[in-house]
Amino acid sequence: MSASASGERAAVHRARLRVAVLTGVIITLLVTVVGGIADTVMTRAQSDQVWRELRYGAARGDLSSPPVCTWLFARGATPLANAPAGFPVESDMRRVGRTHEAVERTVRRDDTRYLVRTQVRADGKVVQAVFDLRFQLADRRHLWFALGVAEVVGLLAAAVTGVVLGRLAVSPLAEALTRQRRFVTDASHELRTPVTQVYTRAQLLARQAAAQDLPARHREGLTRLVGSA
């Protein structure tokens, strides 16, 4: 294989590789962007829903029978038996008792997070509502796991798609280079025979010129023609 043919093959291979890499990058970015948007939308929707339920529970919820994953504490009352450790947040209870202004916060405990709202009810009781976010956090982990799987599948699909697209996109270039190389080869072959014939005739004329004692300038011209062939 000639050096030019090897260079052409290398150029075609590089072009196919660029197409494959570009396709993989685009698909990866799309999966990442879609995952980020899905996570943001889900997190915001969950947060809004939980805060609505928490505010309703703090204002009107039954202290003895709170909703699932929610605990309600009244100032001065005995906490529920199944209440998570560290609740209620007494500092918030005292603050709300003094100011009568609701306080909301997020508390990290026991490898999870809790949303906490403390407020004064219409009957004057200071109530604190606590919501456990462990299930919402698990949903987010499941989402990111699914996105990770989708990312791997997307990369594999991108590799296959990139190879196919690379072949389709670069095939015209490879075919054009092949045709060009074939044309040059055929043209060289076609021109070789006439040139050989001219060279042979030039040699014959040079010998005849020497035998027939032609003028010196003619003999020199034929000699240069034979020497340059």
Side-chain angles (χ1 to χ4, degrees):
M1 183 182 296
S2 64
S4 61
S6 299
E8 291 171 1
R9 287 182 178 273
V12 171
H13 179 72
R14 287 194 298 270
R16 288 175 177 172
L17 182 61
R18 290 193 190 99
V19 173
V21 171
L22 182 60
T23 304
V25 170
I26 291 174
I27 292 179
T28 301
L29 289 177
L30 286 176
V31 173
T32 303
V33 170
V34 170
I37 293 174
D39 179 70
T40 301
V41 171
M42 185 183 73
T43 301
R44 181 168 297 180
Q46 287 181 340
S47 178
D48 292 343
Q49 179 183 0
V50 169
W51 277 117
R52 282 196 302 269
E53 294 178 357
L54 199 63
R55 288 162 187 156
Y56 179 84
R60 300 181 179 84
D62 185 353
L63 297 178
S64 61
S65 181
V68 178
C69 297
T70 303
W71 293 268
L72 298 176
F73 304 94
R75 189 178 184 186
T78 302
L80 298 175
N82 63 342
F87 291 101
V89 181
E90 293 293 346
S91 59
D92 287 354
M93 301 280 274
R94 291 192 296 269
R95 176 182 173 184
V96 171
R98 291 194 309 269
T99 64
H100 285 220
E101 294 181 358
V103 174
E104 294 181 347
R105 70 166 67 217
T106 301
V107 178
R108 291 180 177 270
R109 284 181 185 165
D110 301 328
D111 297 326
T112 186
R113 286 188 294 171
Y114 298 89
L115 299 184
V116 182
R117 176 179 172 85
T118 309
Q119 71 174 63
V120 177
R121 284 188 170 183
D123 59 4
K125 288 183 179 180
V126 177
V127 176
Q128 185 172 101
V130 179
F131 186 89
D132 187 352
L133 287 173
R134 69 178 68 246
F135 294 110
Q136 283 72 19
L137 296 176
D139 289 341
R140 292 187 65 184
R141 288 193 295 269
H142 293 158
L143 172 63
W144 281 110
F145 176 78
L147 290 174
V149 173
E151 187 83 16
V152 173
V153 174
L155 287 175
L156 294 177
V160 175
T161 304
V163 171
V164 174
L165 290 179
R167 290 182 180 276
L168 293 177
V170 180
S171 291
L173 173 61
E175 184 178 355
L177 292 174
T178 301
R179 289 182 178 180
Q180 180 184 19
R181 187 168 58 252
R182 187 181 301 118
F183 171 77
V184 172
T185 302
D186 293 343
S188 299
H189 177 73
E190 293 296 332
L191 290 175
R192 188 175 297 115
T193 300
V195 170
T196 302
Q197 292 177 354
V198 170
Y199 177 70
T200 302
R201 291 185 179 182
Q203 286 181 321
L204 180 60
L205 288 175
R207 287 195 294 269
Q208 291 178 352
Q212 297 177 7
D213 196 19
L214 291 177
R217 67 176 184 275
H218 295 306
R219 292 197 303 272
E220 292 175 358
L222 290 172
T223 301
R224 286 196 301 271
L225 178 61
V226 173
S228 62

